[in-house]
Amino acid sequence: MASRVGLLAELADTRLHFLPDVRFRYSDLGAGLLGLALATRAGTDYATFVAENVCKPLGMTRTSLSEPVVQGHTRRGRPIPPWNMAALAWAGGLRSTAAADDPSDPPTGSLAP
C-alpha cells in the first residue's frame, strides 16, 4: 500500500473486530485514514498540512516528513533500508532531528484551539 488509492483499497477489505465504543484498538490504517481525511478536507497533501498546521505554528523548523533518516540495522548489525511510509505517513512518518529536542532551543508558538 504505497498510495492514497492503495490506502482506500485496503479500507474496502477491512472488517471491524468489535463494535465502535465497545473497545479500543490502535490501527495504523485508522491513523492513515485520519491523516487522509484532514489533508483532503484542507485541500492539500499531508506533508503540507502538517508543516502548515502543526510544525510552523509551534516553531518546529526541524520536523517534517522529509527529514533525513538514520541508517537502521538488524539485531546482527546488518544495515536495513528505512520504512517507506508513503500513504501511511501520518501513522509514524513525522521525523525530527536531534536538535529539535534541544531544551535550550524549544519550539515556539502554539496550536490554534
Side-chain angles (χ1 to χ4, degrees):
M1 175 178 19
S3 68
R4 176 187 180 121
V5 171
L7 181 65
L8 295 175
E10 188 77 18
L11 175 63
D13 293 332
T14 301
R15 301 291 175 252
L16 295 176
H17 294 278
F18 41 84
L19 295 174
D21 293 329
V22 172
R23 189 172 147 209
F24 172 80
R25 183 175 181 181
Y26 177 79
S27 164
D28 283 340
L29 180 59
L33 289 170
L34 174 61
L36 177 61
L38 289 170
T40 300
R41 179 70 171 100
T44 189
D45 61 276
Y46 184 70
T48 302
F49 178 83
V50 170
E52 294 298 317
N53 295 284
V54 178
C55 298
K56 186 175 179 181
L58 292 174
M60 299 170 67
T61 59
R62 293 175 298 252
T63 300
S64 72
L65 292 168
S66 60
E67 285 296 318
V69 178
V70 175
Q71 175 65 58
H73 293 82
T74 66
R75 291 182 201 164
R76 295 187 176 170
R78 295 185 182 126
I80 55 173
W83 287 6
N84 178 2
M85 298 303 288
L88 285 176
W90 31 83
L94 192 63
R95 301 180 183 116
S96 290
T97 64
D101 294 330
D102 182 354
S104 68
D105 185 20
T108 58
S110 62
L111 291 172

